[in-house]
Amino acid sequence: MQLYNKVDRKVLAELMDNSTVERITFSFYKYHQIKDPQETRDSFYKQWSELGVFGRVYIANEGINGQVSVPKENFEAYRKLMFETGWLNNIRLNIAVEDDGKSFIKLKIKVRSKIVADGLDDSTFDASKGGKHLSAKEFNELTAKEDTVIVDMRNHYESEVGHFKGAITPDVDTFRDSLPIITDMLEEHHDKHIVMYCTGGIRCEKASAWFKHKGLENVYQLDGGIIEYARQVNDEGLENKFIGKNFVFDRRLGERISDEVIAVCHQCGETCDDHKNCANEACHLLFIQCKSCEEKYNACCSDDCKDFLALPEEEQKELRKGKKTTRNIFRKGRSEKLPFKS
């Protein structure tokens, strides 16, 4: 059996856009020592492909981190398959808050050195000694106290469109960047309750253990992250302290948690929180764009990209030939072309 999808991405995207199959999107993670990540990866790829699973999954010696979608009719079969893998038994499947069923177009499982790039040397601290997990109710109660500091463990483009009220939102590009910066920011708060959160909880597992290792004592983490918080708030009728959207790393690029829109279009400054990737494949910059600017710039981040996109496909390829990649996919909104990037 072929263990990689080799169909052209544009073909897969078109197939997904025209598909009528109902799918369920969810995320999961588990820190667990895996002896042979490659063998585990290949086994999962074979099993999951048969169930029509799409998504992005990372496997390392330290565990697994995945965001996937499954045909609704196969969801229970997939859950059963996961639970039958001993170390994944009863793993939490964080089901998406908003889901159009088109979050992923293929299955991609990669073996990496770590399931989240944190830049830490795990041999220098005990990564299993993380902060106390808080339910949504406990999170609301603790964050209402004056001696509590809320820390967003996500990146600038995530917190820009949504975050918890009163949270510290570091202006960082990556999780790796955030750890030393937040360590310095918390230096004056050693006597306070430190409550951290992220999308689904995985970044806080490692970060909370690191901050405890650095001397902070009262460290807490939102169990299941923003996704699980939103579910509990809805199910239990709790106050929702999250404002805006939750950024997600798939084709949706966001799911609404509250009605507030706290960001602006990076091109005109109008209220907007819809992330896009520049339609110019040579750029692909992530940025926020309103409907009016989408029409004006043909879904591009600038006039330059709009003009480039208007060229015949073959001419575009010739202009890119022999040059180093100009794709800005990792720049995440950092561009001098965007006058209203906060």
Side-chain angles (χ1 to χ4, degrees):
M1 176 184 177
Q2 183 174 298
L3 298 180
Y4 298 90
N5 191 310
K6 296 183 179 180
V7 180
D8 183 82
R9 181 178 179 82
K10 289 183 179 179
V11 173
L12 292 173
E14 186 175 352
L15 288 172
M16 175 54 70
D17 289 338
N18 293 327
S19 174
T20 58
V21 176
E22 286 190 72
R23 303 181 70 90
I24 297 175
T25 300
F26 53 94
S27 59
F28 56 84
Y29 70 87
K30 177 80 171 183
Y31 279 102
H32 176 84
Q33 282 301 305
I34 300 175
K35 187 175 295 185
D36 190 337
Q38 186 64 49
E39 182 182 24
T40 301
R41 180 261 174 215
D42 292 346
S43 176
F44 283 167
Y45 194 95
K46 293 175 185 176
Q47 295 174 344
W48 298 359
S49 293
E50 293 177 2
L51 293 175
V53 178
F54 293 161
R56 184 189 306 108
V57 182
Y58 299 131
I59 296 177
N61 287 119
E62 66 175 1
I64 188 169
N65 176 23
Q67 301 87 40
V68 302
S69 79
V70 179
K72 188 175 182 179
E73 63 181 12
N74 292 340
F75 179 73
E76 288 305 324
Y78 179 78
R79 194 205 313 248
K80 183 173 183 292
L81 187 64
M82 291 279 279
F83 287 4
E84 286 175 348
T85 303
W87 58 278
L88 292 176
N89 188 30
N90 291 321
I91 188 173
R92 186 199 343 258
L93 305 181
N94 256 351
I95 297 177
V97 178
E98 282 189 330
D99 188 9
D100 60 4
K102 302 183 184 300
S103 50
F104 295 99
I105 60 176
K106 65 178 179 179
L107 178 59
K108 183 186 296 184
I109 306 180
K110 291 188 173 183
V111 173
R112 289 193 164 182
S113 58
K114 287 195 172 188
I115 54 177
V116 176
D118 52 38
L120 299 175
D121 180 355
D122 292 353
S123 67
T124 62
F125 71 106
D126 190 344
S128 69
K129 294 183 177 180
K132 180 182 177 182
H133 290 72
L134 299 176
S135 66
K137 183 174 183 293
E138 292 169 330
F139 178 90
N140 282 359
E141 291 172 350
L142 186 56
T143 55
K145 297 181 178 180
E146 291 186 2
D147 62 343
T148 297
V149 176
I150 311 171
V151 184
D152 193 323
M153 294 306 303
R154 302 172 305 151
N155 306 319
H156 72 91
Y157 53 90
E158 298 174 82
S159 60
E160 183 178 7
V161 294
H163 54 255
F164 280 101
K165 298 172 184 176
I168 294 174
T169 56
D171 184 24
V172 295
D173 291 341
T174 67
F175 179 52
R176 181 197 298 260
D177 292 340
S178 74
L179 292 171
I181 292 173
I182 294 174
T183 298
D184 291 341
M185 294 173 75
L186 294 178
E187 192 65 37
E188 59 183 292
H189 300 298
H190 272 252
D191 58 337
K192 296 181 180 179
H193 298 289
I194 308 300
V195 179
M196 57 190 63
Y197 69 89
C198 56
T199 307
I202 187 170
R203 283 176 272 190
C204 293
E205 293 286 356
K206 187 69 71 75
S208 61
W210 172 252
F211 290 132
K212 288 180 69 175
H213 168 70
K214 298 298 286 185
L216 294 170
E217 296 181 3
N218 302 313
V219 180
Y220 304 82
Q221 56 182 301
L222 180 58
D223 190 32
I226 299 164
I227 299 173
E228 176 64 11
Y229 176 86
R231 186 191 69 77
Q232 291 182 21
V233 162
N234 183 62
D235 291 349
E236 300 172 27
L238 303 173
E239 176 190 357
N240 179 18
K241 291 192 173 186
F242 189 92
I243 53 174
K245 268 185 176 179
N246 177 36
F247 183 93
V248 292
F249 294 86
D250 57 56
R251 294 179 85 211
R252 294 172 298 151
L253 293 177
E255 52 187 12
R256 187 155 298 288
I257 306 298
S258 78
D259 293 333
E260 295 100 329
V261 178
I262 64 172
V264 300
C265 172
H266 288 163
Q267 292 172 309
C268 72
E270 288 298 312
T271 301
C272 178
D273 58 7
D274 294 330
H275 272 106
K276 306 283 177 60
N277 283 111
C278 180
N280 174 14
E281 284 295 319
C283 174
H284 211 63
L285 178 75
L286 180 75
F287 68 110
I288 297 174
Q289 185 179 56
C290 68
K291 294 295 182 184
S292 177
C293 287
E294 181 179 21
E295 183 176 344
K296 178 181 177 181
Y297 292 97
N298 195 19
C300 291
C301 70
S302 64
D303 284 322
D304 289 343
C305 281
K306 177 184 175 182
D307 293 342
F308 189 90
L309 189 65
L311 298 173
E313 184 70 28
E314 289 304 313
E315 188 172 347
Q316 292 183 41
K317 290 180 180 179
E318 283 299 317
L319 288 171
R320 292 197 297 263
K321 192 176 295 183
K323 295 182 179 179
K324 290 184 178 180
T325 179
T326 57
R327 284 164 63 85
N328 293 312
I329 190 169
F330 296 114
R331 292 183 63 187
K332 307 298 186 187
R334 305 284 199 193
S335 174
E336 64 283 352
K337 298 177 182 179
L338 302 173
F340 290 93
K341 164 61 184 169
S342 61

